[in-house]
Amino acid sequence: MVSGDIFDTKRPSIIAKKLYYSFLASLLKTDCRNVVVVGGNHDSGDLLDVARELAEPLNIHVVGSIENRTPEEMIFMLKDQNGECGAILAAVPFLSDMELHNFYTEDCDDKTFSDIAYAAYYQTILAEVEKRKQQVKQETGREVPVILTGHLYAAGLEGRYGEAGDDEAELKTDDGIKTLDYVGKLGKVHSHVFPKEFTYVALGHIHYSTRVGGENRIRYSGSPFVMGFDEARTKHHILQVDFEEQEEDGGFEPRVKPIRTPENVLFRLLEGTKEKILDDLREIISNTEEKRKTFIELRYRSEDSTALRAAVDELTIPDHIQIVSWKSLKGTENSHVGLDKDYSMEEMKKIEMDEIVRTLAEKTFPFSVKAEPIQKNYKKAMDNLKREYKEKAKPADQKLTKEEKEALEQEKKEKLEQLEQQMKQELEQEREKHNAYLKELSEKILPIFRQAEDDVKNQKE
């Protein structure tokens, strides 16, 4: 069972599609008798559904979208080794806002939209599932587990953020790459929405393994591998679920076993001060037993940029280790409203308009645009200085004494520190000019925003 996001784009490459179809074909040679695939928010439902007619005879069930499908066509009997129904599965893919709007009532407000819409849709699915259950009971005299899928953002997650009790962090990203397109608490689906009649709910969208609302029967398996450097410290799994029949009520209890997926390629995220990053990097380099391909992202303070790059240049890095990304840490430039933070409607009302305008100005005209040319010029000057002293340390006509080499090294160090100090002073002066510009810009823009705010209020009245 794959709960969506087969691809990371609605227009995957030929190579990506070939991998997908080869994977499905390879399953025919295994003991996997039932394959179910549903579309996610990154997928093209039409693309996934193209192979539907070919896949069905091979017991591969694909539901890319609910378009042109009845609930009955999304219910599948999963066959056991004897060809009998071992479970019933309702394959529900990602539902767009437009599709969900068909299932909400007029008294539904924004805070409950997702819960009400999903609950109404799942009830239509449940009605069809109950018919199949009765059919199986009449034919075999047995009860069977009932499985539901979904590709959505659920509330009450555990694990990656839940253990820290950080509800705000939980909302930040779904994949370590993109910020979620939700405002505050909107868009989250609570555990009570999934009908109790379903023995197990297999969800997709979140990239790490977690339960929903503390319920063992509602889970995300997570992605089987790293999708971004924010996930570099997250362990990835697939889930094996066995159903244990309960004698007292004839129901089934899901027994879930997480299976770690192999790390054939390593991803490492190093962040903090220059010293912390360099210590962590040296530790990775010194591990001579590790030969797997290792990709690294460095997240550093903006003031450490030039010195860090210079220090990294002096390290001998093995071929299997690559630094593929350099990023300045968020929050080192701006101290106003965080546009990467999710706010509830009540929180939004408390934020002053001038604060929002100032933050938008900073986001549109970041200081990094001014800082980068200055940092590049100083880096070039430092590189030239190093080359100069390297030549001085190895003169062609004579051999330097130990004391002379140490004196040259000390002289080089002092000049590099002097250049770094000059760079910091120039950056500080440029920041003062930039802040004055942003203040002037904000003062010009603010009346336009206030007028727009007044227009909205007048329209509501």
Side-chain angles (χ1 to χ4, degrees):
M1 172 68 237
V2 187
S3 293
D5 285 351
I6 312 306
F7 303 106
D8 61 355
T9 172
K10 296 185 187 299
R11 294 182 178 180
S13 66
I14 293 173
I15 294 174
K17 288 186 280 190
K18 184 178 178 181
L19 276 172
Y20 168 56
Y21 293 128
S22 298
F23 165 69
L24 292 182
S26 72
L27 293 176
L28 300 175
K29 301 173 185 177
T30 71
D31 289 333
C32 188
R33 295 180 180 84
N34 303 275
V35 180
V36 182
V37 176
V38 300
N41 60 307
H42 291 290
D43 293 314
S44 162
D46 290 341
L47 175 64
L48 292 181
D49 285 333
V50 163
R52 174 184 172 188
E53 303 302 330
L54 285 172
E56 287 288 346
L58 302 174
N59 224 26
I60 299 174
H61 309 293
V62 181
V63 180
S65 71
I66 65 170
E67 189 176 359
N68 301 322
R69 281 184 192 263
T70 64
E72 185 180 1
E73 293 174 311
M74 297 159 61
I75 315 297
F76 303 104
M77 305 287 209
L78 305 186
K79 304 295 179 65
D80 62 19
Q81 62 268 31
N82 299 318
E84 296 180 355
C85 179
I88 299 171
L89 188 143
V92 179
F94 168 72
L95 301 178
S96 67
D97 285 350
M98 189 176 296
E99 289 164 338
L100 284 172
H101 268 280
N102 295 321
F103 296 92
Y104 84 101
T105 55
E106 290 184 7
D107 60 345
C108 167
D109 60 35
D110 283 342
K111 291 182 180 179
T112 57
F113 167 74
S114 292
D115 279 351
I116 290 177
Y118 271 106
Y121 184 74
Y122 281 141
Q123 285 302 317
T124 65
I125 294 293
L126 180 60
E128 292 299 326
V129 167
E130 291 293 349
K131 293 177 185 177
R132 298 290 183 94
K133 280 182 67 177
Q134 290 300 319
Q135 179 186 336
V136 173
K137 186 73 179 287
Q138 290 172 3
E139 292 175 357
T140 67
R142 295 185 297 115
E143 296 285 349
V144 294
V146 182
I147 305 163
L148 174 68
T149 74
H151 191 93
L152 48 83
Y153 196 80
L157 306 185
E158 299 175 333
R160 185 178 174 195
Y161 299 120
E163 287 173 0
D166 191 348
D167 192 49
E168 289 181 0
E170 178 190 304
L171 276 166
K172 283 181 183 174
T173 60
D174 66 339
D175 55 12
I177 301 170
K178 302 179 182 69
T179 301
L180 284 175
D181 53 353
Y182 295 118
V183 178
K185 311 303 181 195
L186 306 187
K188 298 174 78 175
V189 180
H190 293 80
S191 58
H192 69 264
V193 167
F194 307 103
K196 294 290 184 183
E197 289 83 353
F198 288 101
T199 316
Y200 186 77
V201 182
L203 297 177
H205 188 51
I206 300 300
H207 288 194
Y208 61 98
S209 300
T210 180
R211 298 191 305 174
V212 174
E215 292 199 45
N216 196 48
R217 73 183 185 100
I218 311 174
R219 289 182 179 255
Y220 288 94
S221 65
S223 62
F225 40 74
V226 173
M227 295 296 293
F229 279 100
D230 279 345
E231 300 175 18
R233 297 166 187 154
T234 303
K235 306 304 180 187
H236 291 267
H237 306 82
I238 61 170
L239 300 183
Q240 175 182 301
V241 185
D242 293 299
F243 297 101
E244 188 175 286
E245 194 166 1
Q246 305 295 295
E247 292 182 2
E248 60 271 17
D249 60 4
F252 294 87
E253 179 69 23
R255 304 295 182 190
V256 182
K257 178 184 177 183
I259 300 173
R260 277 284 301 277
T261 49
E263 291 182 279
N264 297 318
V265 177
L266 302 180
F267 292 81
R268 297 291 180 258
L269 171 61
L270 309 184
E271 59 185 331
T273 62
K274 180 189 77 171
E275 291 74 20
K276 173 74 167 56
I277 290 172
L278 288 172
D279 286 345
D280 291 344
L281 187 54
R282 290 189 188 102
E283 185 178 343
I284 292 172
I285 294 170
S286 66
N287 184 3
T288 55
E289 294 181 4
E290 181 58 75
K291 299 299 182 185
R292 284 176 290 181
K293 196 76 174 176
T294 303
F295 295 113
I296 298 174
E297 177 172 284
L298 304 184
R299 294 187 185 176
Y300 51 88
R301 300 180 306 179
S302 58
E303 59 266 32
D304 289 336
S305 174
T306 303
L308 177 62
R309 288 180 184 271
V312 169
D313 285 344
E314 293 185 354
L315 296 176
T316 302
I317 301 176
D319 291 340
H320 69 279
I321 298 173
Q322 290 183 29
I323 299 173
V324 296
S325 176
W326 296 69
K327 286 186 179 179
S328 178
L329 283 168
K330 288 182 181 179
T332 56
E333 294 181 6
N334 304 327
S335 58
H336 296 272
V337 182
L339 293 187
D340 295 322
K341 180 182 183 298
D342 292 289
Y343 293 91
S344 68
M345 291 303 180
E346 290 304 313
E347 289 173 321
M348 285 291 287
K349 290 175 184 175
K350 296 175 184 177
I351 301 173
E352 295 295 330
M353 181 62 75
D354 57 351
E355 188 119 357
I356 294 173
V357 170
R358 175 60 185 259
T359 302
L360 286 170
E362 288 178 339
K363 284 282 182 179
T364 309
F365 303 101
F367 178 65
S368 58
V369 174
K370 299 279 187 181
E372 282 176 8
I374 297 172
Q375 290 169 335
K376 283 181 180 178
N377 287 338
Y378 276 96
K379 183 181 184 304
K380 187 177 179 180
M382 288 178 178
D383 288 343
N384 290 336
L385 187 68
K386 287 176 190 175
R387 278 193 293 272
E388 178 187 334
Y389 274 87
K390 190 175 181 180
E391 291 172 2
K392 284 183 179 181
K394 294 181 179 180
D397 54 347
Q398 66 181 46
K399 189 175 182 180
L400 298 180
T401 64
K402 181 181 176 182
E403 289 75 16
E404 288 174 327
K405 286 182 179 178
E406 288 176 351
L408 275 175
E409 188 62 32
Q410 182 61 31
E411 188 180 319
K412 181 184 79 170
K413 183 180 177 183
E414 289 174 0
K415 287 190 176 181
L416 284 172
E417 287 175 353
Q418 187 179 1
L419 277 174
E420 189 170 352
Q421 189 60 36
Q422 289 174 1
M423 181 187 71
K424 287 181 179 179
Q425 290 175 357
E426 190 171 337
L427 284 171
E428 190 57 40
Q429 291 170 0
E430 193 62 41
R431 186 185 289 277
E432 288 178 8
K433 293 179 187 176
H434 187 69
N435 287 341
Y437 166 71
L438 290 178
K439 183 179 179 183
E440 182 183 353
L441 181 66
S442 300
E443 288 172 354
K444 289 179 180 178
I445 296 174
L446 188 58
I448 302 170
F449 272 73
R450 291 203 185 283
Q451 183 60 53
E453 189 178 34
D454 291 341
D455 290 344
V456 171
K457 285 179 182 177
N458 291 334
Q459 281 182 343
K460 284 183 178 179
E461 289 170 3

